[in-house]
Amino acid sequence: MIRGMHQHWHVAPPQPQADSLAQSLRFHSVVGQVLAQRGVADAPQAEAFVHPTLNQLHDPCALPGLEHAADRMVQALRNGQTIALYGDYDVDGITAVAVLYHTLLAAEPNAKVLRYIPHRIDEGYGLNSAAIEQLANRGAELIVTVDCGVTAHEPAATAERCGVDLIITDHHELPVDGLPAAYAIVHPRLHEVDASIGEPYPFGELCGAGVAYKLAWQIARRWCGSEKVGQAFRKLLVDLLALTALGTVADVVPLRDENRAIVTFGLGRIKHTPY
């Protein structure tokens, strides 16, 4: 420290529940204080925060628009249609594309799946009409965005004009001027602009890869025709947690709720996953 300069630290006052939180976990009282400062209110919340489990992942069907999107993608697989996955160029977007790509090929190894990552400099962020036209010319009959697209009105109109179904999956700020015209829109906070969807999703802070992972989960269910998927899909979904965790950490979303479970188990899978 430079001579003459004084550093002042502000210590937050103890929270009333801090000691009981620490005692419930058999941790030092400082841990209870940290948990209390993070908004953890009781022993069950503290246990879930410190020891997350995969049971904390919410049902994919609670995500607005997800069932409709999964049904269309499975239909495309069964009918041999060409599916294009359009992602952002950052870690979140790339891992989200990879999650869906591996899921589709696990369902149907001969699936026709195109991948498109826009050029950071030449195209910039988001869905663009030129890319839509290019994918349509390459035979795409269904385009699925990940980590982008929720404000893409003009590209959505281009997809309709090209005769291509468009599914948008995103987690970014919702538009105030209405949603794009798409076959389906999957977004964890969609209830903020569409009250007709019913109950809001329990956790609105998923990243793009997190949304894609939930969609992959539901695709696996639909393909298997059961809420419980087969052994191969179970292993796939566990392995894909590694990619989902990378997207979650890189996109700096809050490590709470199911994000915490995704990262806890996903980081542990990185050295084991074949992807």
Side-chain angles (χ1 to χ4, degrees), residues 30-165:
V30 171
V31 176
Q33 177 72 1
V34 170
L35 291 172
Q37 290 293 328
R38 285 176 171 264
V40 177
D42 54 36
Q45 287 185 14
E47 178 66 27
F49 188 89
V50 175
H51 300 121
T53 71
L54 291 179
N55 289 331
Q56 291 171 234
L57 299 182
H58 303 299
D59 191 318
C61 293
L63 251 175
L66 186 136
E67 284 190 275
H68 194 42
D71 287 349
R72 178 65 183 91
M73 293 177 73
V74 168
Q75 179 191 56
L77 281 176
R78 295 196 188 280
N79 293 339
Q81 293 182 308
T82 300
I83 303 170
L85 304 175
Y86 186 110
D88 187 21
Y89 45 68
D90 66 1
V91 175
D92 189 21
I94 292 171
T95 53
V97 166
V99 164
L100 289 181
Y101 177 77
H102 290 300
T103 302
L104 295 174
L105 290 185
E108 175 49 72
N110 295 318
K112 304 170 186 174
V113 185
L114 307 175
R115 290 158 291 174
Y116 191 96
I117 304 295
H119 191 281
R120 180 185 293 266
I121 304 300
D122 296 342
E123 296 175 86
Y125 169 77
L127 190 61
N128 68 80
S129 293
I132 294 285
E133 291 175 348
Q134 178 185 332
L135 290 169
N137 289 334
R138 292 173 61 188
E141 297 163 272
L142 173 64
I143 296 175
V144 183
T145 77
V146 291
D147 196 31
C148 64
V150 79
T151 61
H153 290 275
E154 183 180 338
T158 300
E160 184 176 12
R161 187 175 69 250
C162 292
V164 177
D165 284 343

Side-chain angles (χ1 to χ4, degrees), residues 3-275:
R3 184 176 299 176
M5 294 183 66
H6 299 281
Q7 189 171 11
H8 299 281
W9 296 92
H10 171 71
V11 179
Q15 299 292 313
Q17 73 271 34
D19 287 339
S20 63
L21 289 175
Q23 290 171 9
S24 70
L25 296 167
R26 298 183 180 180
F27 285 169
H28 193 279
S29 60
V30 171
V31 176
Q33 177 72 1
V34 170
L35 291 172
Q37 290 293 328
R38 285 176 171 264
V40 177
D42 54 36
Q45 287 185 14
E47 178 66 27
F49 188 89
V50 175
H51 300 121
T53 71
L54 291 179
N55 289 331
Q56 291 171 234
L57 299 182
H58 303 299
D59 191 318
C61 293
L63 251 175
L66 186 136
E67 284 190 275
H68 194 42
D71 287 349
R72 178 65 183 91
M73 293 177 73
V74 168
Q75 179 191 56
L77 281 176
R78 295 196 188 280
N79 293 339
Q81 293 182 308
T82 300
I83 303 170
L85 304 175
Y86 186 110
D88 187 21
Y89 45 68
D90 66 1
V91 175
D92 189 21
I94 292 171
T95 53
V97 166
V99 164
L100 289 181
Y101 177 77
H102 290 300
T103 302
L104 295 174
L105 290 185
E108 175 49 72
N110 295 318
K112 304 170 186 174
V113 185
L114 307 175
R115 290 158 291 174
Y116 191 96
I117 304 295
H119 191 281
R120 180 185 293 266
I121 304 300
D122 296 342
E123 296 175 86
Y125 169 77
L127 190 61
N128 68 80
S129 293
I132 294 285
E133 291 175 348
Q134 178 185 332
L135 290 169
N137 289 334
R138 292 173 61 188
E141 297 163 272
L142 173 64
I143 296 175
V144 183
T145 77
V146 291
D147 196 31
C148 64
V150 79
T151 61
H153 290 275
E154 183 180 338
T158 300
E160 184 176 12
R161 187 175 69 250
C162 292
V164 177
D165 284 343
L166 175 66
I167 292 174
I168 294 171
T169 78
D170 203 349
H171 72 112
H172 291 100
E173 199 68 26
L174 290 155
V176 296
D177 56 345
L179 296 168
Y183 183 90
I185 297 178
V186 183
H187 193 294
R189 299 189 308 279
L190 199 61
H191 67 280
E192 294 177 7
V193 296
D194 185 358
S196 69
I197 66 171
E199 292 295 318
Y201 188 67
F203 183 63
E205 300 296 336
L206 287 172
C207 68
V211 175
Y213 184 82
K214 291 308 187 73
L215 181 54
W217 184 353
Q218 186 60 19
I219 290 170
R221 283 173 163 181
R222 281 289 184 263
W223 189 261
C224 295
S226 170
E227 291 296 297
K228 292 185 177 180
V229 302
Q231 183 177 354
F233 266 121
R234 284 200 301 272
K235 183 181 185 306
L236 172 74
L237 290 171
V238 170
D239 285 337
L240 292 180
L241 283 170
L243 293 173
T244 310
L246 285 178
T248 301
V249 171
D251 228 45
V252 202
V253 290
L255 293 185
R256 298 183 290 105
D257 204 280
E258 58 185 343
N259 280 347
R260 197 166 186 83
I262 287 169
V263 170
T264 298
F265 289 91
L267 292 183
R269 290 301 303 170
I270 287 179
K271 62 183 179 181
H272 303 293
T273 178
Y275 308 115

